[in-house]
C-alpha cells in the first residue's frame, strides 16, 4: 500500500476549498473531506474534487444501526471516494454491514478505516462518561482488533500508536495518522504530535495534515515538504 500525504481540507465552503486546490498544479494531493465541508457543500463537492483528479478520503465517521450504516455506505461508495470511515464503537456487526454496503457490484470498494477512541476522549472522560474502566491504550487496541476482525483495512490513530497497531493487527493493517507538525512549526491544539519524517520511521501508512499546509504562507511548498519527508 503506497504511503501518501492526505490534506485535511477543513473549509466551510466549496469556493474556499476549490480555490485552495487550484494552487496545486503539478502533483494532485490526496484530499480529506470532513463533516464541515460535506455538510456545507454536499455530495457535489466530492464529485467536483474527484473530477479534478484528486483521491478522496471522506471522513464522516458513521455510527448507527448496521442496516442504516450499510445503506449509507452504499451511497458513499457510489460517489467514487477512495477511503471512508466509521466508529469502531458501533460494534463488529456494524462494521461488517458497512463493508457489505461499501462493496460495489464489480467487487471493488473504497478503503474502510475505523476511528477507535477519539483523541479528544481521555481516560477520565472514558471512565466517567462512557463507563469504560480499562486503560485507554488497551481500549484503542481492542477496537483496532475488532476492526481487523470485521475485515476493515485499518484505523485512524495517533502516530504514537501506529507501531503498536501494526504489532497487534499486522503490518498490512493501515494506520492513518493525524497530529502531524513540522519540527519548526506551531502545534496549535494538537497535543501529541510527530513530524512527517518521524511518522514515516514509526510506520504510519498515511499522514493527515491540515493547518500546517492549509494555513501556510505557501501551501504548495508546505505540501511538498511533507511529501519529501514522508513519501520520497
Ligand atoms: O489542522 P490539523 O493538521 O490539526 O488537522 C488534522 C485533521 O485530522 C483534522 O481534520 C482533524 O479533524 C482530524 N483528526 C484529528 N485527530 C483525530 C481524528 C481526526 O486531528 N483523532
Amino acid at each position: 500500500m503506497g504511503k501518501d500525504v492526505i490534506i485535511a481540507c477543513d473549509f466551510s465552503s466549496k469556493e474556499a476549498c476549490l480555490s485552495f486546490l487550484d494552487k496545486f498544479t503539478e502533483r494532485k494531493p490526496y484530499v480529506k473531506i470532513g463533516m464541515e465541508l460535506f455538510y456545507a457543500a454536499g455530495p457535489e463537492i466530492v464529485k467536483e474534487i474527484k473530477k479534478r483528479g484528486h483521491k478522496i478520503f471522506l471522513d464522516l465517521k458513521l455510527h448507527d444501526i448496521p442496516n442504516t450504516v450499510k445503506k449509507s455506505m452504499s451511497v458513499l461508495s457510489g460517489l467514487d471516494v477512495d477511503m471512508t470511515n466509521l466508529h469502531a464503537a458501533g460494534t463488529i456487526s456494524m462494521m461488517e454491514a458497512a463493508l457489505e454496503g461499501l462493496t460495489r457490484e464489480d467487487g471493488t470498494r473504497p478503503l474502510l478505516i475505523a476511528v477507535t477512541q477519539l483523541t479528544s476522549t481521555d481516560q477520565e472522560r472514558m471512565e466517567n462518561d462512557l463507563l469504560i474502566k480499562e486503560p485507554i491504550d488497551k481500549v484503542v487496541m481492542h477496537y483496532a482488533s475488532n476492526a481487523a476482525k470485521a475485515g476493515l483495512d485499518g484505523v485512524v490513530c495517533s502516530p504514537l500508536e501506529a507501531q503498536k497497531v501494526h504489532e497487534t493487527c499486522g503490518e498490512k493493517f493501515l494506520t492513518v495518522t493525524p497530529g502531524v507538525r513540522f519540527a519548526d512549526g506551531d502545534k496549535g491544539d494538537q497535543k501529541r504530535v510527530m513530524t512527517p519524517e518521524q511518522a514515516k520511521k514509526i510506520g504510519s501508512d498515511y499522514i493527515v495534515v491540515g493547518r500546517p499546509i492549509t494555513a501556510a504562507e505557501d501551501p504548495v511548498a508546505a505540501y511538498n515538504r511533507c511529501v519529501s519527508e514522508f513519501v520520497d
Side-chain angles (χ1 to χ4, degrees):
M1 199 64 66
K3 296 204 172 240
D4 212 346
V5 174
I6 303 178
I7 304 183
C9 284
D10 294 323
F11 296 103
S12 54
S13 76
K14 177 179 169 180
E15 293 71 28
C17 181
L18 294 181
S19 75
F20 169 77
L21 292 177
D22 281 342
K23 300 181 201 298
F24 297 84
T25 50
E26 286 168 25
R27 188 182 170 120
K28 298 275 179 193
Y30 207 131
V31 165
K32 178 171 92 75
I33 300 177
M35 292 185 215
E36 182 186 8
L37 183 59
F38 190 78
Y39 293 148
E44 285 312 310
I45 187 72
V46 176
K47 292 180 190 161
E48 176 62 32
I49 295 176
K50 197 72 204 180
K51 203 165 78 190
R52 291 167 169 232
H54 298 269
K55 284 191 160 183
I56 296 179
F57 167 23
L58 190 55
D59 175 21
L60 298 182
K61 300 186 180 71
L62 273 65
H63 187 173
D64 207 317
I65 59 170
N67 184 55
T68 302
V69 170
K70 179 178 165 181
K71 290 186 168 172
S72 309
M73 284 294 181
S74 169
V75 175
L76 300 186
S77 182
L79 289 177
D80 199 21
V81 297
D82 299 279
M83 185 190 296
T84 191
N85 63 359
L86 45 60
H87 274 282
T91 76
I92 294 179
S93 5
M94 188 201 79
M95 290 191 269
E96 287 171 342
L99 264 187
E100 239 184 282
L102 208 56
T103 306
R104 305 181 184 107
E105 273 184 18
D106 63 3
T108 62
R109 62 167 177 81
L111 293 172
L112 183 59
I113 58 169
V115 174
T116 55
Q117 279 293 348
L118 290 170
T119 41
S120 50
T121 305
D122 60 13
Q123 185 71 37
E124 194 186 336
R125 285 185 200 190
M126 201 183 65
E127 288 188 16
N128 294 342
D129 298 1
L130 308 178
L131 278 187
I132 300 173
K133 303 291 182 190
E134 300 284 349
I136 194 156
D137 312 15
K138 194 174 163 193
V139 175
V140 167
M141 292 311 145
H142 180 64
Y143 282 16
S145 302
N146 284 352
K149 269 186 211 151
L152 268 65
D153 303 293
V155 286
V156 185
C157 63
S158 150
L160 298 153
E161 293 158 356
Q163 206 167 358
K164 185 97 189 280
V165 168
H166 281 140
E167 282 163 20
T168 311
C169 303
E171 280 307 313
K172 287 194 178 151
F173 194 69
L174 300 174
T175 51
V176 179
T177 63
V180 174
R181 292 293 181 264
F182 293 122
D184 50 4
D186 181 7
K187 286 207 305 189
D189 53 359
Q190 295 281 15
K191 303 228 166 355
R192 298 157 71 224
V193 298
M194 267 195 190
T195 66
E197 200 178 5
Q198 288 167 331
K200 179 183 183 175
K201 278 197 193 124
I202 211 152
S204 294
D205 297 288
Y206 294 89
I207 51 171
V208 176
V209 189
R211 288 158 294 177
I213 297 176
T214 55
E217 225 165 272
D218 184 345
V220 178
Y223 170 70
N224 289 339
R225 181 175 172 193
C226 282
V227 171
S228 68
E229 281 192 33
F230 184 72
V231 184
D232 298 338

